[in-house]
Amino acid sequence: MSTEPSPGVPYLPPRATAADRAAAGAGATVDVDERRPALQLEDLQVAYAVRGIDRIVLRGVSFSIAPGEAFGLVGESGCGKSTTAYAALRYLPRNGRITSGHIRVDGNDITTFDKEQLRRFRAEEASMVYQDPGSSLNPTIKVGKQLVESFLVLGQSKPDARANALQALNRVQIADPARVMDRYPHQLSGGMLQRVVIAMALACDPKLLVLDEPTTGLDATVEAEVLDLVRTLRNETGAAILLIAHNLGVIRSMCDRVGVMYAGKIVEEGPAAKVFDDPQHPYTVGLLRSLPRQGRRKGQHSLATIPGTLPVLGADLPTCVFIDRCSLASDLCRSQEAPLVDLGGGRTTRCHHPDLIGTMLEAESTRVVVSQGETVLTIAGVSKTFRQAGHSVPALVGIDLSLADGETLGLVGESGSGKSTLAKAILGVHAPDLGGEMTLDQHQLASRIAKRSAADKRAMQIIFQNPDSALNASWTVRRILKRSVRKLTGANSVDSDARVATLADHLRLSPRHLDMKPSQLSGGLKQRVAIARAFAGDPRIVVCDEPTSALDVSVQAAILNLLAELQSEQRTSYVFISHDLGVVRYLADRIAVMYLGRIMEVGSTDDIFGGPHHPYTEALLSAVPSVDGEPSTRIKLEGEIPSPANPPSGCVFHPRCPRRIDGVCNSIEPPIIEASLGHIIRCHIPAEQLRELQQSPASG
Ligand code: ATP
Ligand code: MG
C-alpha cells in the first residue's frame, strides 16, 4: 500500500491532485469541494429496449467522484453497476439509451457530445478495464501489437508508440516486457493479461479510470497484486477511479467512498469504512450480513439471506425500490417515494426509516454442530503425473489425507496448485499413478470410475462452479432430477417421482421450478438444482468445486446454509474447494493448503487461521482484503507459481518463500512437522519459531 513509486517504475508527472494526495497521505480522501469532479452523474436514467419496449434500468443515479478519488459501486448482480460504468463513458450497448440526466466528466457534459467529441474523449480522457481481460484483447493478435495500437490512436509515431508500449509494461510491473510483447493473449496468465489491459487503459493517461470487476476471475494472491498496482498507479497519475467489485473487502481496501446500488438506484452512499462498519440502509445491512465474516462458523450461525429477488428489468417501482424485500417496510414506504436522507459526514441513505436500522436484530439461528465420526475416505500416497509432449508433469505428489463422516475438508491454494486434480482423482475421473491407495468406508476404491461399483459411484458426487455444464439445457428440472434418481438408485418411476418431490422440498425448489428449464432459472436456483442432483442418491461424499464463486453474496449465503443443513441432516462429508478463504473458514472443519500439487499444511480450521502457519498459508491469509478492514500487512510472494513440469529443488515453495533459509530450503525436502495434534506443516522452520516470527509485526 506504499505511495512510493516502486523501483523500476517510471515516475509520471503528477497532476495537481497527486501533490495533494501525497500531502494528505495514502488512502486519504482528497478534498472534494474546491475542484470540478472528475465524474459527476446527475439523476441519470438509462433504459434498454427489449422487444421494442424501453425498460428502465437506471432510475436516477447521482454521485460524483473527485479527481484522484476512488469510488466503489456495490450491489447484487443485475442491479445496474455495469450499466452505470458503461454509461459513464457512453459505451452503452446498442439497445441502451440515456433517457434523462447528465454525465459530466471534468465539467463537460458528455451526454451532448457528438461522435467526434466522443472518440476524442475516449481516446484521451477516460478508460475502462473489464472483468475478463480476454474480452479486451484480440486473441489472434500479439499483445505488443495491440498495446502499440493504443498509442498509435493517440497520434504517436510508430517508434514512439513502441517505446511507450514497452514503458507502459514496465509501469505495470511486467518483468520481461519485450518477451511479453511477442506473446499472444492466451500465452499469458490471467494476472499478466489484466496488467496488459491496465497498461492499455493507461496509455492516454486518463483522468478517469473505470474498472468493472477487474480481479474477479483471479486468485487471491494475484488479485492482491493487481489491486496494489491499481493503488500505485492511482497515486502516480491522480486518476479518479470508479471501481466495481462484488467482493466488499476489495472495495473497502481500495475506495475512499462507496455507493450501494439496488434496482438502478444508489440506496446508500458514504465513506467506505463508515458504510461497511455502520450500514444505514436495510439493503446494505442485508448485504453485509450475508457475508461469512469475523470467523463465524457453520455450526454456530447460519448466514443471513435477503429474502426474495431483485425486481425484473423495467419494473414499475414508484415508492421504495427495496420495498418487496425489506423487513422494515411500512405503509409509509408503500405510499411514498423513499427520501434521500442526509446523515452528515458525507453519508446519505434513501430510506423512510433510518432510525429503525438498529432494530434489525441479528437473525442468527443456532444450529446443532455435527459431530464427526468414523473415517469415510482415506487417501494415502496418491500422486498423479500427466504426460505432456513427451514430458511428465507431476500434478499431485504424495497426497495423504482423510475425511471423516459429516466432516468438511476445505482445499485451498492458488490456481494451478492441484485442487481440482485432487478432486478428480477422488472421483476417479483421473486415475492416480500406481502406488497410492484410496479407501472408502474401509474398502479399497478402484482408481478409475469405470471400475468402481455402482454403490461406490453413487457414494461420491460433485458440484461445480458453473451449474450449466452439469445440467442438460433442453430438459426440465424435473426430468434432470428424475433421471439422476433412477440412474443412481435404480428406483422405479413412481418411487423416483416421490424422491424428486422430497429433494425439491429439501432444496426449496417449488413445483413451478420443476417444470422450468435451467436457462429459465437464476444462477442461485440453477446451483440448487445441481445440488439436488448431487444428493439424488444419498451420497457419502460430495466434492464441491467452487460452488458459490459465481454467485452474489446473498445467494451464496443461501447456498452455504443449504449445504450446512444437508450435511447436518444426512452426515454427508464435503471436500470443499474455494479460493474464498472467508467461505472456507465458515464451512470447513479442516483445511488442507496445496501448492504445486503438494499439501503444505493441514489442520483444523482454527489451527489454519490461528497459526503457526506455513509461510505459504501466511501469505495466502495476508492477501485477503477484509470487509471489516482488519489491519493486515500483505506478504508479497515473488514471481508466479512455477511450472509443475519443472518443480524447484528442495522445498518447492522456496523460490517464493519470504522466510526461506538459504542453503537449506533450496536443497533439502522439508520435513513434516506436527505443530499440534493433527496440525501438520511441511517446513524447515520449527513450529515454535514460525509462531514467534509470525507474531512479531515487523516480520512481514
Ligand atoms: P453483475 O453484477 O451481474 O455484473 P450489474 O449490476 O453489472 O450485474 P448490469 O449488467 O448493469 O448489472 O445489468 C442491469 C440490468 O440490465 C440487468 O437486469 C440486465 O439483465 C439488464 N441488461 C444489461 N444489458 C442489457 C442489454 N443490452 N439489453 C437488455 N437488458 C440488459
Ligand atoms: Mg456487471
Side-chain angles (χ1 to χ4, degrees), residues 48 50 57 76-83 93 95 213 313:
Y48 286 119
V50 182
V57 50
E76 69 201 81
S77 182
C79 70
K81 304 180 298 295
S82 297
T83 304
N95 66 333
E213 304 269 7
L313 187 68

Side-chain angles (χ1 to χ4, degrees), residues 156-485:
Q156 298 185 359
S157 69
K158 263 202 167 156
D160 280 357
R162 185 165 167 88
N164 282 326
L166 277 167
Q167 200 192 13
L169 288 180
N170 258 319
R171 189 176 175 195
V172 294
Q173 294 158 25
I174 280 184
D176 189 353
R179 191 179 55 99
V180 168
M181 299 263 282
D182 206 33
R183 298 250 163 140
Y184 289 97
H186 74 266
Q187 295 171 313
L188 299 179
S189 69
M192 294 266 266
L193 276 179
Q194 200 55 296
R195 281 169 203 267
V196 170
V197 171
I198 293 174
M200 282 168 77
L202 291 176
C204 66
D205 208 4
K207 295 191 184 91
L208 174 66
L209 181 60
V210 177
L211 302 142
D212 189 359
E213 304 269 7
T215 58
T216 298
L218 305 176
D219 274 326
T221 48
V222 181
E223 166 174 80
E225 279 161 21
V226 171
L227 293 177
D228 272 353
L229 175 69
V230 173
R231 273 188 208 104
T232 310
L233 294 170
R234 173 189 167 200
N235 282 317
E236 282 175 18
T237 63
I241 289 181
L242 173 60
L243 175 66
I244 295 170
H246 71 248
N247 183 329
L248 305 186
V250 166
I251 295 283
R252 176 162 191 160
S253 73
M254 296 291 292
C255 296
D256 306 302
R257 285 188 305 129
V258 62
V260 181
M261 189 168 231
Y262 185 82
K265 257 203 151 83
I266 303 272
V267 294
E268 176 165 4
E269 189 193 318
K274 297 250 164 61
V275 171
F276 290 149
D277 285 342
D278 179 28
Q280 292 294 323
H281 189 280
Y283 178 60
T284 320
V285 172
L287 208 55
L288 287 162
R289 276 204 196 140
S290 54
L291 291 176
R293 59 202 284 215
Q294 286 167 340
R296 289 186 189 175
R297 301 287 309 283
K298 62 178 170 185
Q300 300 131 19
H301 305 280
S302 55
L303 299 169
T305 53
I306 309 171
T309 52
L310 203 63
V312 294
L313 187 68
D316 186 24
L317 304 169
T319 59
C320 166
V321 287
F322 190 54
I323 190 152
D324 289 339
R325 302 173 74 184
C326 184
S327 62
L328 299 180
S330 68
D331 287 345
L332 179 63
C333 307
R334 276 178 260 282
S335 60
Q336 284 177 28
E337 191 178 348
L340 185 67
V341 182
D342 188 341
L343 302 163
R347 301 192 60 179
T348 55
T349 181
R350 207 173 268 281
C351 180
H352 282 291
H353 301 297
D355 46 319
L356 295 183
I357 296 287
T359 66
M360 291 180 69
L361 290 172
E362 284 261 353
E364 287 175 349
S365 65
T366 311
R367 212 188 289 110
V368 197
V369 185
V370 187
S371 59
Q372 285 140 31
E374 306 276 300
T375 301
V376 183
L377 177 76
T378 62
I379 301 170
V382 164
S383 301
K384 172 71 197 170
T385 311
F386 291 105
R387 301 252 152 231
Q388 227 170 48
H391 296 283
S392 57
V393 182
L396 293 178
V397 182
I399 303 288
D400 294 313
L401 277 177
S402 69
L403 182 67
D405 201 24
E407 181 184 51
T408 300
L409 175 71
L411 283 187
V412 304
E414 289 163 287
S415 80
S417 59
K419 306 183 298 287
S420 295
T421 309
L422 178 55
K424 286 178 186 155
I426 294 173
L427 290 163
V429 179
H430 290 329
D433 301 347
L434 292 176
E437 196 183 65
M438 288 193 278
T439 66
L440 174 72
D441 285 326
Q442 266 98 55
H443 68 269
Q444 197 166 342
L445 203 54
S447 57
R448 228 175 258 289
I449 191 158
K451 295 195 176 151
R452 291 187 182 173
S453 68
D456 284 352
K457 281 184 201 159
R458 177 178 169 178
M460 287 199 241
Q461 296 294 321
I462 183 161
I463 304 167
F464 297 101
Q465 169 175 352
N466 180 0
D468 291 319
S469 59
L471 303 175
N472 186 330
S474 55
W475 288 8
T476 63
V477 171
R478 188 187 305 282
R479 187 165 169 209
I480 291 170
L481 293 181
K482 191 165 168 177
R483 177 167 183 273
S484 287
V485 168

